[in-house]
Amino acid sequence: MIHKNLAKELAASALQMVWFIVLLFPFLVMKVSVTAGTALVRFRWGSLPAIAIVSFIASFAWGRALEWNSHRGDKEQKRTPLTPIKEAIAAALARKPIRRVVLLVLLAAVAVYPFALGMYHTNIMITALIYVILALGLNIVVGLGGLLNLGYAAFFAVGAYTYGLLWKFVGPSFVSAGIATGWLFWIALPIAGTIAVVFGILLSLPVLRLRGDYLAIITLAFGEIVRMVLQNSGPVTGGATGISLIPRPWLLGLKLPPKQAATYIYYIVIVLVILTIFVVRRIEDSRVGRALEAMREDEIACEAMGIDLVRNKLSTFALGAFWAGIAGVVLAAQTTYINPDSFTLWESIMVLMAIVIGGTGSIPGAIGGALLLKLLPEYFRPLAQYRILIYGVAMIVIIIFKPDGLFPRNRKKYTFDAQATEPQAGEAQK
Amino acid sequence: MTNTNAPILEIKNLSMVFGGLRAIDDVSLHIKKGEICALIGPNGAGKTTIFNCITGVYKPTEGSVAIQPGDGPAEHIHGLKPNIINRKGLARTFQNIRLFSNMTVLENVMIGRHNSLQAGIFKAIIRDRATREEEQRLIDESHEILKKMGLAMFINETARNLPYGAQRRLEIARALATDPFLLLLDEPVAGMNPHETKELEETINLIRDRENVTILLIEHDMSLVMNVSERIYVLDYGRLIAEGPPVEIKSNPEVIKAYLGE
Ligand SMILES: Nc1ncnc2c1ncn2[C@@H]1O[C@H](COP(=O)(O)OP(=O)(O)O)[C@@H](O)[C@H]1O
Ligand SMILES: [Mg+2]
């Protein structure tokens, strides 16, 4: 039996190898050079065996991996060499004092980060942390509410432009009144959050009856519309050139040099990230959060449980939009310059990918996914040109082999005293 | 219990048309307080469609659905949204199980109690004392319901991983959590083994006797139907063809014909 299967697999791999050779032949074997108006085709036969071997091995390995994956459920309980280590870590973290110490060490590391690593790394980290806020916000919409939103960058833009426009139109009167323009940042934060919420509600109204593909398309269109409006309202928004010289956040009236300013924004963004995590965690573990999840799981059953879907969808979009608005203000303050190009569909997709890779519906997942997606490309510059390819492969591999993401959510467990949980008479147990 | 004979649910001349198909044709039926009624009929007869019309999933093409849970005047509910109808005290289960399958068993029931609580977003974030107490009460109440339904040992289990029979029970538990006066069960023992069916039969009786919930159930398992129900409605091609106590239905020639075919 085993031999027969193996032969079959090898044959399948061989077939796929042939297919790959045909597919890649024009790219990797043929080379066309045009000299003085005549095209010259050169055949690099040397690369043929390489293609054959690589595609054969890859095809075979992929087949094995899929095979292994399909039996994953059966051997869930199987202990790997890593199991005792994992268990030890889990047991240690379950103890409160240890958890406190770990948290303190983590906080200390976060606090000294800008001093230890300097301005370059601090700025990269700020950008990544802005994405963490975005991912946490989108996670409410996609992960909890189950509403695929491809226009999320629009709310990010709303936040950034709220600050930018405040600066452009209210800034001058601040200057003439002798008030530090840095104050505008602190004023912009709540206003941007509010305006983003309004936009969130505006978007949710037309999509109340939509789900799945339709919802994705409409939100995608919404995102593009917002960007186009920003781009084509030159007199107000500065059009494609955007708004520049946006002030950095106020700190006791000090004029900070760039390095200190970056450090300062870093701390602001850290506080905002912690605030976001705190709020999102509370929402997730509450009546409102459970209602959102019920909607994701099954809209018909959710409504049959007395939950108002309209209200649920409004709050989902509003909650998600709020954090994007906040993140937008921080982005404007960090870069001091915004234009519509920062808010393309690609941004929405990046944030969505961060969630999927990290783990849909999981807070650690949103954080981990955003950090991975933003930090890795910065530190692996040589691979930059293969970035999209790597993302694509990573997405496929994760969706197939680890559908809950790299950092899946640990659902809350409830404990009751032993006597109460004793099996009752008339049980449905087999 | 002044007027025990007044129906708590009354459907009059209900019709539901899908395109050219008359799935329900002029059906009138009623259920009295404290009854266990069954709705039977061959596949495609329109039983589930009647449930969908009662619970607001569909707007009936013609006819009315009225409820009268207390002593007050009867109230029309057709055309209202499902969540509103649920809040008025009608809860249901689904023929093809519709649990919140990635959530835990306890959470499924907690969602059923959504409307017995108030906390909104701000309360959830602040989590003041009242909210914490409310949450704890919710957990305890949900736990109680699970104990009654014999699901207590599955509390932290993901709903998707439950054995089939337990999933059907969980649907009932979740429906009960909404504090209904009328429970609509759509094929509650479909796919269960005889042992599980027997247990559910007891549970259905307990729900009626201890929780004072009136029950209307759709079922193909004739032994269950004959054992638990006091009255049976028989539906065929969207029309009611018989109504009466089990003994009468069993020997009704029209019913036998509908089930055995021409
Ligand atoms: N949403 C719908 N659209 C079109 N036809 C429907 C719809 N729902 C039910 N039907 C049709 O109505 C008839 C009754 O279906 P149903 O109520 O599910 O039967 P059952 O008695 O088996 O529960 C069937 O012919 C079914 O195809
Ligand atoms: Mg049916």
Side-chain angles (χ1 to χ4, degrees), chain A residues 79-92:
Chain A
R79 294 176 73 87
T80 61
L82 281 179
T83 318
I85 302 173
K86 273 190 201 158
E87 278 171 357
I89 293 176

Side-chain angles (χ1 to χ4, degrees), chain A residues 149-409:
Chain A
N149 182 351
L150 290 180
Y152 196 60
F155 305 120
F156 192 29
V158 165
Y161 270 88
T162 301
Y163 186 22
L165 293 175
L166 262 181
W167 154 240
K168 194 169 163 186
F169 293 102
V170 186
S173 44
F174 266 58
V175 173
S176 58
I179 307 170
T181 50
W183 275 109
L184 278 170
F185 174 84
W186 298 106
I187 299 168
L189 267 185
I191 296 180
T194 314
I195 294 181
V197 164
V198 171
F199 270 77
I201 291 173
L202 281 182
L203 170 62
S204 67
L205 290 177
V207 302
L208 282 176
R209 305 208 143 264
L210 305 178
R211 257 195 91 76
D213 314 354
Y214 299 101
L215 180 65
I217 298 286
I218 299 288
T219 51
L220 187 153
F222 172 80
E224 289 304 282
I225 290 169
V226 167
R227 193 171 62 83
M228 295 314 266
V229 167
L230 291 174
Q231 188 145 350
N232 293 307
S233 317
V236 182
T237 62
T241 34
I243 301 170
S244 50
L245 295 174
I246 298 169
R248 293 220 162 83
W250 183 87
L251 175 69
L252 306 169
L254 296 175
K255 190 115 188 77
L256 295 175
K259 186 170 160 37
Q260 269 76 3
T263 308
Y264 179 42
I265 293 179
Y266 170 84
Y267 284 124
I268 291 176
V269 96
I270 285 286
V271 171
L272 287 174
V273 166
I274 293 174
L275 179 74
T276 315
I277 296 173
F278 174 80
V279 171
V280 175
R281 270 189 63 163
R282 286 253 159 128
I283 289 176
E284 180 184 274
D285 179 26
S286 76
R287 173 176 174 270
V288 179
R290 281 189 299 267
L292 297 192
E293 279 200 276
M295 173 169 78
R296 173 196 69 202
E297 294 292 304
D298 191 320
E299 287 200 357
I300 291 180
C302 179
E303 235 181 342
M305 292 296 108
I307 293 170
D308 188 346
L309 283 184
V310 171
R311 214 172 131 170
N312 236 7
K313 288 188 181 176
L314 291 185
S315 36
T316 308
F317 274 104
L319 276 170
F322 178 81
W323 298 111
I326 298 286
V329 176
V330 180
L331 179 85
Q334 187 212 1
T335 56
T336 70
Y337 164 71
I338 50 170
N339 73 354
D341 286 344
S342 316
F343 311 102
T344 55
L345 174 62
W346 177 241
E347 295 309 305
S348 303
I349 291 178
M350 278 280 286
V351 184
L352 192 62
M353 272 200 292
I355 295 176
V356 173
I357 288 177
T360 320
S362 151
I363 293 175
I367 301 168
L371 289 179
L372 274 181
L373 230 57
K374 271 290 158 183
L375 293 181
L376 285 188
E378 294 293 343
Y379 293 109
F380 288 91
R381 286 274 177 194
L383 292 176
Q385 55 171 323
Y386 303 112
R387 194 157 131 183
I388 308 216
L389 182 72
I390 294 171
Y391 287 167
V393 172
M395 291 279 281
I396 293 173
V397 169
I398 284 174
I399 287 171
I400 294 179
F401 296 101
K402 220 167 173 330
D404 290 340
L406 295 178
F407 315 97
R409 171 166 173 195

Side-chain angles (χ1 to χ4, degrees), chain B residues 18 21 23 42-49 58 95:
Chain B
F18 296 112
L21 175 79
N43 272 325
K47 306 179 297 293
T48 300
T49 307
Y58 299 150
Q95 181 178 348

Side-chain angles (χ1 to χ4, degrees), chain A residues 424-427, chain B residues 36 147-150 169 172 176 183 198-215 228:
Chain A
Q424 302 286 303
E427 204 106 50
Chain B
I36 299 182
K147 280 202 284 188
K148 273 182 207 154
M149 289 301 295
R169 279 179 168 267
I172 300 178
L176 279 179
L183 185 59
K198 202 72 206 154
E199 280 178 347
L200 198 75
E201 188 182 312
E202 281 167 31
T203 309
I204 290 174
N205 278 316
L206 279 181
I207 292 171
R208 194 261 308 264
D209 297 339
R210 298 230 185 112
E211 316 290 321
N212 294 317
V213 177
T214 307
I215 293 171
V228 300

